[in-house]
Amino acid sequence: MEWDSLVDWLLSRMTLEEKLGQLFMLGFSGTEPDAGIREWIERCHLGNVVLFAGNLVDPPQVRRLTDELQALARKAQQAGKAQASGTVEEGGKVAEVGAPVAGPGAGFIPLFIAADQEGGIVVRLTRGATVFPGNMALGATRDPELARRAAAVMGREMRAMGIQFNLAPVLDVNCNPRNPVIGVRSYGEDPMLVAELGVAQIEGYQKFVVATAKHFPGHGDTAVDSHVARPVVGHGRERLAAVELVPFRRAIAAGVGAIMTAHLSVPAIEPDPRLPATLSRRIVTGLLREELGYDGIIITDSLGMRGVSAEYDMVEASLLALEAGCDILCASSHTYYGTFVYDAVLAAVRAGRISEERIEESARRVLRAKARFGLLEEGGLARGDGRAGAWTRAGAWSGTSAAAAVTLAEVGSPEHQALAQEVARRAMTQVKGPAALPAETKTVIVIEFSAQAQTGVEDLRLERGTAQGQMQGQARGQAEGAAQSQAQGAACGPLAAALQELLGQRKSPPRPGTQVLSLVLPLNPDPNLRQRILSTLEGFGGATLVPGGVAAVVATLDAVRNAGQADLIGELTASGIPVWVVSLRNPYELSSLGEAAERVSFLVAYSPQPVSLAAAAEVLTGVLIPTGRLPITLP
């Protein structure tokens, strides 16, 4: 490969301790590097960092943070012992010994800095960045070129902020309506559609950052979240080959930079029930490396997840993952995955449980990826005069110059936001009933639910707007404080605010005189709260008193697992109020509505992000005709 001579040269001058450090990816708390991550970088030669929403404020702060992390890595390497260095001749041989790799004025090996920027319900970069609706929204568009363009924008913005490794896209084929952790993170239930859109996004991402296909060998047909327990995929080899493995085969052929393993059991491949895929040599090496022929980075899902940690401590899990063939051991926080793990793995290597050759094999893959995606060049190891210049290879990575040219000014630009809005609009799907509210509607009651993380992969905060709802008129003091007085134009739920904009409460009206009342409820409203809300609405004047004059819009957030949402919809329809349901997560929730499913209009936005809410408002007001098609089958 183009960069093998440089990687060989680096490895020949790295200690075992330094090579081992390239095999870890750790997270930390706070918006600045804390003591724990500093120790990992300074003492353990950490090669990779993962960031979460709690680390990130806005694009300038993110860039300062990533620059500071790289500065720590540079300083730590410069403070280390001097290493022999040399040049590489055209034939790939070391010609002479020269300056140290990590000495004053020399280059250094930069960190891979990663984040989960899938779009939709799993995003880390929000404020100031462009946030897309997510995979199932793209599945509803059926447009690979749109998927490719969306990924290129996300990758471009990440690189501008100093992040070069995206833990996306999700290539799980979601064919289980009760899957609690994948759902709208998947492109759909058709393995060929998932493969087509996944490859398009890999191509888009990898103009700027490493793309990561996850979660191998497939997390789509599970009913358990591997963050809380270990799922089992009970299908045979033939079915796995025909469904779950199809997108991964295509991703490998497309040159995906990394593949993430899943913490789930697959008895057809690994008969030992104690070994999830991440820790199974049969799956990681036998299936992924040897059978599918993948030679890129294999990264674990976070080893703190209960799919692994319920049975194994961090040290044993790490050793088993390395023995299985994984290259990067990932953990979301050093608070439970401390430097003691590094020390224990190093001791295991010295004791002979894991060979030094095995460590170097994985370090080589990580360094090769850093070269491929321009990091070594950014670290000063692929340019310069004399000996260093000998390592430059024309065309080593077509995206190097493009990645180097991106700037913070591009992050969240109007052009990028317009593309995200286009995805949201083209994804809007009309499943049943009329899409738009009746022209004669005078009052629209918009009921939304407080956004919060519902799976282990989501951040605790999900920026959608206000955390608490308000309602006009007689609702003051009702519904246990969830409904409060709202002066016209005051703060309200985000979908209600978008409707207000279109219905004329804040702008010149396409429908003069229509008022929007907003109510934001807890995620799973209990019977007492629902009854108070219904009493309030009846007191306000329901559809029975003003025929055709009142309509309710309920923006659901996974009514399958939050039955109070479905119950409220049933109670609203029973009271005679026409109801439009806008699904902001899994469209499968239509089946949870019981008899009410026959009486509601059902629209799917696939995402609670602002662009999806704006598109939903356009559909409800008749400004937009929905053209999306469900990429899954409703039960």
Side-chain angles (χ1 to χ4, degrees), residues 49-115:
V49 172
V50 58
L51 301 177
F52 294 91
N55 302 121
L56 312 171
V57 178
D58 56 28
Q61 178 271 335
V62 177
R63 185 66 206 219
R64 288 194 299 271
L65 174 61
T66 56
D67 285 347
E68 183 175 2
L69 288 166
Q70 297 292 8
L72 287 172
R74 178 189 287 272
K75 182 178 179 181
Q77 291 178 39
Q78 289 176 340
K81 67 178 184 178
Q83 300 177 33
S85 179
T87 62
V88 180
E89 297 178 332
E90 286 302 316
K93 298 178 180 178
V94 175
E96 60 178 297
V97 173
V101 174
F108 79 112
I109 300 172
L111 300 165
F112 259 142
I113 300 179

Side-chain angles (χ1 to χ4, degrees), residues 471 473-475 532-542 545 577:
M471 188 172 176
Q474 299 179 23
R532 293 191 182 193
I533 292 166
L534 290 168
S535 297
T536 299
L537 296 180
E538 290 172 2
F540 173 76
L545 300 179
I577 298 177

